[in-house]
PDB file of all heavy atoms in Angstrom:
ATOM      1  N   ASN R 283      75.127  -1.867 -18.543  1.00 96.00           N
ATOM      2  CA  ASN R 283      73.764  -1.852 -17.985  1.00 96.00           C
ATOM      3  C   ASN R 283      73.456  -0.573 -17.211  1.00 96.00           C
ATOM      4  O   ASN R 283      72.500  -0.542 -16.427  1.00 96.00           O
ATOM      5  CB  ASN R 283      73.516  -3.066 -17.090  1.00 96.00           C
ATOM      6  CG  ASN R 283      73.728  -4.371 -17.826  1.00 96.00           C
ATOM      7  OD1 ASN R 283      73.283  -4.527 -18.970  1.00 96.00           O
ATOM      8  ND2 ASN R 283      74.413  -5.308 -17.193  1.00 96.00           N
ATOM      9  N   LYS R 284      74.232   0.464 -17.432  1.00 98.00           N
ATOM     10  CA  LYS R 284      73.945   1.747 -16.794  1.00 98.00           C
ATOM     11  C   LYS R 284      73.554   2.776 -17.864  1.00 98.00           C
ATOM     12  O   LYS R 284      74.137   2.815 -18.945  1.00 98.00           O
ATOM     13  CB  LYS R 284      75.153   2.260 -16.000  1.00 98.00           C
ATOM     14  CG  LYS R 284      75.499   1.382 -14.798  1.00 98.00           C
ATOM     15  CD  LYS R 284      76.559   2.026 -13.939  1.00 98.00           C
ATOM     16  CE  LYS R 284      76.998   1.103 -12.804  1.00 98.00           C
ATOM     17  NZ  LYS R 284      75.906   0.849 -11.838  1.00 98.00           N
ATOM     18  N   THR R 285      72.550   3.574 -17.524  1.00 98.00           N
ATOM     19  CA  THR R 285      72.108   4.663 -18.395  1.00 98.00           C
ATOM     20  C   THR R 285      72.437   5.978 -17.709  1.00 98.00           C
ATOM     21  O   THR R 285      71.979   6.243 -16.598  1.00 98.00           O
ATOM     22  CB  THR R 285      70.599   4.570 -18.679  1.00 98.00           C
ATOM     23  OG1 THR R 285      70.332   3.341 -19.377  1.00 98.00           O
ATOM     24  CG2 THR R 285      70.133   5.738 -19.537  1.00 98.00           C
ATOM     25  N   VAL R 286      73.237   6.775 -18.376  1.00 98.00           N
ATOM     26  CA  VAL R 286      73.815   7.969 -17.757  1.00 98.00           C
ATOM     27  C   VAL R 286      73.332   9.226 -18.474  1.00 98.00           C
ATOM     28  O   VAL R 286      73.393   9.315 -19.704  1.00 98.00           O
ATOM     29  CB  VAL R 286      75.358   7.905 -17.816  1.00 98.00           C
ATOM     30  CG1 VAL R 286      75.965   9.128 -17.137  1.00 98.00           C
ATOM     31  CG2 VAL R 286      75.865   6.620 -17.170  1.00 98.00           C
ATOM     32  N   LEU R 287      72.885  10.204 -17.697  1.00 98.00           N
ATOM     33  CA  LEU R 287      72.557  11.521 -18.228  1.00 98.00           C
ATOM     34  C   LEU R 287      73.723  12.454 -17.931  1.00 98.00           C
ATOM     35  O   LEU R 287      74.157  12.567 -16.781  1.00 98.00           O
ATOM     36  CB  LEU R 287      71.282  12.083 -17.578  1.00 98.00           C
ATOM     37  CG  LEU R 287      70.043  11.191 -17.511  1.00 98.00           C
ATOM     38  CD1 LEU R 287      68.853  12.000 -17.003  1.00 98.00           C
ATOM     39  CD2 LEU R 287      69.735  10.567 -18.849  1.00 98.00           C
ATOM     40  N   VAL R 288      74.221  13.122 -18.968  1.00 98.00           N
ATOM     41  CA  VAL R 288      75.322  14.075 -18.800  1.00 98.00           C
ATOM     42  C   VAL R 288      74.854  15.435 -19.286  1.00 98.00           C
ATOM     43  O   VAL R 288      74.632  15.640 -20.478  1.00 98.00           O
ATOM     44  CB  VAL R 288      76.577  13.654 -19.600  1.00 98.00           C
ATOM     45  CG1 VAL R 288      77.717  14.631 -19.324  1.00 98.00           C
ATOM     46  CG2 VAL R 288      76.992  12.230 -19.257  1.00 98.00           C
ATOM     47  N   THR R 289      74.681  16.373 -18.364  1.00 98.00           N
ATOM     48  CA  THR R 289      74.279  17.718 -18.784  1.00 98.00           C
ATOM     49  C   THR R 289      75.518  18.488 -19.227  1.00 98.00           C
ATOM     50  O   THR R 289      76.612  18.308 -18.683  1.00 98.00           O
ATOM     51  CB  THR R 289      73.561  18.480 -17.654  1.00 98.00           C
ATOM     52  OG1 THR R 289      74.492  18.783 -16.607  1.00 98.00           O
ATOM     53  CG2 THR R 289      72.409  17.651 -17.082  1.00 98.00           C
ATOM     54  N   GLY R 290      75.342  19.337 -20.236  1.00 97.00           N
ATOM     55  CA  GLY R 290      76.483  20.069 -20.766  1.00 97.00           C
ATOM     56  C   GLY R 290      77.519  19.140 -21.373  1.00 97.00           C
ATOM     57  O   GLY R 290      78.716  19.416 -21.319  1.00 97.00           O
ATOM     58  N   GLY R 291      77.044  18.053 -21.970  1.00 97.00           N
ATOM     59  CA  GLY R 291      77.956  17.042 -22.493  1.00 97.00           C
ATOM     60  C   GLY R 291      78.440  17.286 -23.900  1.00 97.00           C
ATOM     61  O   GLY R 291      79.104  16.427 -24.482  1.00 97.00           O
ATOM     62  N   GLY R 292      78.148  18.444 -24.448  1.00 97.00           N
ATOM     63  CA  GLY R 292      78.533  18.718 -25.823  1.00 97.00           C
ATOM     64  C   GLY R 292      79.961  19.166 -26.011  1.00 97.00           C
ATOM     65  O   GLY R 292      80.496  19.101 -27.120  1.00 97.00           O
ATOM     66  N   SER R 293      80.615  19.613 -24.927  1.00 95.00           N
ATOM     67  CA  SER R 293      81.986  20.112 -25.068  1.00 95.00           C
ATOM     68  C   SER R 293      82.709  20.016 -23.737  1.00 95.00           C
ATOM     69  O   SER R 293      82.103  19.758 -22.689  1.00 95.00           O
ATOM     70  CB  SER R 293      81.990  21.566 -25.553  1.00 95.00           C
ATOM     71  OG  SER R 293      81.382  22.412 -24.586  1.00 95.00           O
ATOM     72  N   GLY R 294      84.026  20.251 -23.776  1.00 96.00           N
ATOM     73  CA  GLY R 294      84.835  20.339 -22.572  1.00 96.00           C
ATOM     74  C   GLY R 294      84.778  19.113 -21.686  1.00 96.00           C
ATOM     75  O   GLY R 294      84.851  17.970 -22.145  1.00 96.00           O
ATOM     76  N   ILE R 295      84.643  19.340 -20.386  1.00 98.00           N
ATOM     77  CA  ILE R 295      84.623  18.253 -19.414  1.00 98.00           C
ATOM     78  C   ILE R 295      83.435  17.322 -19.665  1.00 98.00           C
ATOM     79  O   ILE R 295      83.557  16.105 -19.577  1.00 98.00           O
ATOM     80  CB  ILE R 295      84.576  18.814 -17.979  1.00 98.00           C
ATOM     81  CG1 ILE R 295      85.900  19.526 -17.652  1.00 98.00           C
ATOM     82  CG2 ILE R 295      84.309  17.714 -16.969  1.00 98.00           C
ATOM     83  CD1 ILE R 295      85.894  20.270 -16.331  1.00 98.00           C
ATOM     84  N   GLY R 296      82.287  17.898 -19.981  1.00 98.00           N
ATOM     85  CA  GLY R 296      81.098  17.083 -20.235  1.00 98.00           C
ATOM     86  C   GLY R 296      81.287  16.125 -21.397  1.00 98.00           C
ATOM     87  O   GLY R 296      80.871  14.960 -21.347  1.00 98.00           O
ATOM     88  N   LYS R 297      81.936  16.606 -22.453  1.00 98.00           N
ATOM     89  CA  LYS R 297      82.211  15.754 -23.607  1.00 98.00           C
ATOM     90  C   LYS R 297      83.152  14.624 -23.224  1.00 98.00           C
ATOM     91  O   LYS R 297      82.953  13.470 -23.625  1.00 98.00           O
ATOM     92  CB  LYS R 297      82.810  16.580 -24.741  1.00 98.00           C
ATOM     93  CG  LYS R 297      83.145  15.770 -25.981  1.00 98.00           C
ATOM     94  CD  LYS R 297      83.679  16.656 -27.105  1.00 98.00           C
ATOM     95  CE  LYS R 297      83.969  15.828 -28.353  1.00 98.00           C
ATOM     96  NZ  LYS R 297      84.448  16.692 -29.481  1.00 98.00           N
ATOM     97  N   ALA R 298      84.172  14.937 -22.442  1.00 98.00           N
ATOM     98  CA  ALA R 298      85.120  13.914 -22.002  1.00 98.00           C
ATOM     99  C   ALA R 298      84.423  12.861 -21.142  1.00 98.00           C
ATOM    100  O   ALA R 298      84.704  11.659 -21.263  1.00 98.00           O
ATOM    101  CB  ALA R 298      86.268  14.558 -21.230  1.00 98.00           C
ATOM    102  N   ILE R 299      83.510  13.298 -20.284  1.00 98.00           N
ATOM    103  CA  ILE R 299      82.757  12.355 -19.455  1.00 98.00           C
ATOM    104  C   ILE R 299      81.875  11.467 -20.321  1.00 98.00           C
ATOM    105  O   ILE R 299      81.852  10.240 -20.161  1.00 98.00           O
ATOM    106  CB  ILE R 299      81.914  13.106 -18.410  1.00 98.00           C
ATOM    107  CG1 ILE R 299      82.831  13.752 -17.359  1.00 98.00           C
ATOM    108  CG2 ILE R 299      80.916  12.168 -17.737  1.00 98.00           C
ATOM    109  CD1 ILE R 299      82.103  14.630 -16.360  1.00 98.00           C
ATOM    110  N   ALA R 300      81.150  12.071 -21.250  1.00 98.00           N
ATOM    111  CA  ALA R 300      80.268  11.298 -22.122  1.00 98.00           C
ATOM    112  C   ALA R 300      81.055  10.258 -22.908  1.00 98.00           C
ATOM    113  O   ALA R 300      80.648   9.082 -23.015  1.00 98.00           O
ATOM    114  CB  ALA R 300      79.522  12.233 -23.074  1.00 98.00           C
TER     115      ALA R 300
END
Side-chain angles (χ1 to χ4, degrees):
N283 302 316
K284 294 188 185 294
T285 297
V286 182
L287 311 187
V288 183
T289 69
S293 64
I295 292 172
K297 179 177 182 178
I299 291 174

